[in-house]
Amino acid sequence: MLDQPLQLFSSFASEIADVARQIVRTAAAGPRRPVAKSDSSPVTETDRAVEQSLRERIADRFPRHGVLGEEFGAEGLGEEFVWVIDPIDGTKAFVGGLAVYGTLISLTHGGTPVLGLIDNPVTGDRWLGLSGRATTLNGVAIRTASTALLSEAFMANGNPEPFQQNEKESVERLRLSTRWCVYGGSCMAYGRVADGSIDISIDGGLDPYDYCALVPVVTGAGGCITDWQGRPLTLTSGNLCLAAANEALHRQVLETLN
C-alpha cells in the first residue's frame, strides 16, 4: 500500500538532501563557529539553516505531515507521517573540519521508520533505505557483510562519552570480544555497516533524529538494527542503538552486552 507514496517520498527526500548538501558545503568552506546549547552540545548557524530550510519545504509539500528536528523540536507528532531530521549529525566533526558528519532525513509511518537517508556532503556519498526495498549507496544496491563470528568483527562507536557507567562496561566487554574497533564515525559508521565495510556499530545518548534514518538503511541492506534489548527502533525508543551486519552477529552482540 505504501509502495507508490514511498517512491514519491523518496524523490522528495533526495531533493531536500540536495538542498542541505549545498548549504553545508558552502558553510564548510568558511569559519564554522559553534555555540553551546543548554545540554552543552555544540550547534552552528549551519545546523539551524539546514533544518529551517528543510522544514519549510516539508510544510509546503506535505502540510499534513509532522516534523521532528534536532534544532527546532516537534510539530504534529501525532500525524500518520512524521519527517525526522538531523541537519548535521556529527556537529563536532563539522566544526573540526573532519569529514565524518552527515545530514539524516527519515520518514516514519505510525512511528516506524519507513524511509532513511544518510548524506555526506563532503564525499558526496548518499545511502537511501526504503521499507521493503534494497538499500542503495549512490544509486547502487548494497549488502551488509557476512561476518558470522564476533571474534572476527569490525566494530564502530561514534562517541563513548554519553554512555552511563554500566553501559561503558558492556561496550568494553563487546570491544574486547571483537577483532578491531574504530571511533568517531557518527552516522557514517551505520552507512558502512550497510555497505559491508563495518560489521557492528553501537551508540548511546541518542534521540530519534539520530537513529530513525539509520533503520531503513541498515535493514534494507540485510542488517539488524535495534535497541540493546533487541527491540525495534521507533519514534518512542530509548537512547541506545545497535546495528549488526546480520542476525547471527546481532544475537552474539546482544548476548555480550546483556
Side-chain angles (χ1 to χ4, degrees):
M1 184 177 71
L2 273 175
D3 280 356
Q4 202 167 18
L6 269 181
Q7 191 56 51
L8 170 66
F9 299 146
S10 171
S11 298
F12 176 71
S14 295
E15 185 182 310
I16 61 175
D18 287 341
V19 172
R21 181 184 287 187
Q22 185 57 48
I23 295 172
V24 175
R25 276 184 171 176
T26 301
R32 302 169 298 276
R33 298 186 182 90
V35 296
K37 294 194 282 190
S38 59
D39 63 358
S40 298
S41 64
V43 64
T44 68
E45 286 305 315
T46 308
D47 294 81
R48 292 169 175 153
V50 169
E51 184 171 324
Q52 186 61 44
S53 181
L54 269 52
R55 292 177 86 106
E56 289 172 358
R57 284 165 170 77
I58 292 168
D60 182 61
R61 187 77 64 89
F62 303 108
R64 296 185 63 183
H65 287 190
V67 182
L68 171 64
E70 179 172 12
E71 307 308 332
F72 298 110
E75 297 176 45
L77 281 188
E79 298 294 342
E80 180 181 8
F81 290 100
V82 177
W83 293 88
V84 186
I85 303 166
D86 191 342
I88 303 179
D89 182 72
T91 298
K92 289 180 183 177
F94 171 70
V95 171
L98 304 172
V100 286
Y101 54 87
T103 296
L104 298 179
I105 299 170
S106 178
L107 179 65
T108 65
H109 180 242
T112 298
V114 294
L115 177 156
L117 184 151
I118 304 171
D119 185 76
N120 185 313
V122 180
T123 66
D125 287 322
R126 181 174 295 173
W127 289 262
L128 177 64
L130 294 173
S131 180
R133 302 187 191 182
T135 294
T136 60
L137 170 56
N138 301 326
V140 178
I142 55 175
R143 292 292 295 177
T144 54
S146 59
T147 307
L149 296 177
L150 190 58
S151 59
E152 297 178 357
F154 187 8
M155 167 184 157
N157 168 230
N159 182 2
E161 292 177 2
F163 293 127
Q164 301 297 316
Q165 184 56 42
N166 64 318
E167 296 166 354
K168 288 181 180 179
E169 293 169 1
S170 295
V171 173
E172 178 63 7
R173 187 164 59 248
L174 176 63
R175 184 190 68 81
L176 292 172
S177 301
T178 60
R179 189 175 188 184
W180 293 310
C181 184
V182 65
Y183 295 95
S186 64
C187 60
M188 308 310 298
Y190 293 85
R192 294 307 181 193
V193 170
D195 67 29
S197 303
I198 291 174
D199 301 306
I200 300 164
S201 190
I202 187 167
D203 283 290
L206 304 181
D207 288 290
Y209 43 75
D210 295 307
Y211 60 72
C212 278
L214 312 177
V215 174
V217 170
V218 172
T219 57
C224 298
I225 181 167
T226 65
D227 67 10
W228 289 16
Q229 301 301 318
R231 295 171 298 214
L233 295 173
T234 70
L235 272 177
T236 57
S237 295
N239 64 1
L240 301 173
C241 175
L242 157 68
N246 50 68
E247 290 184 6
L249 193 59
H250 186 256
R251 283 195 298 270
Q252 294 171 65
V253 174
L254 288 176
E255 290 169 2
T256 304
L257 289 174
N258 296 302

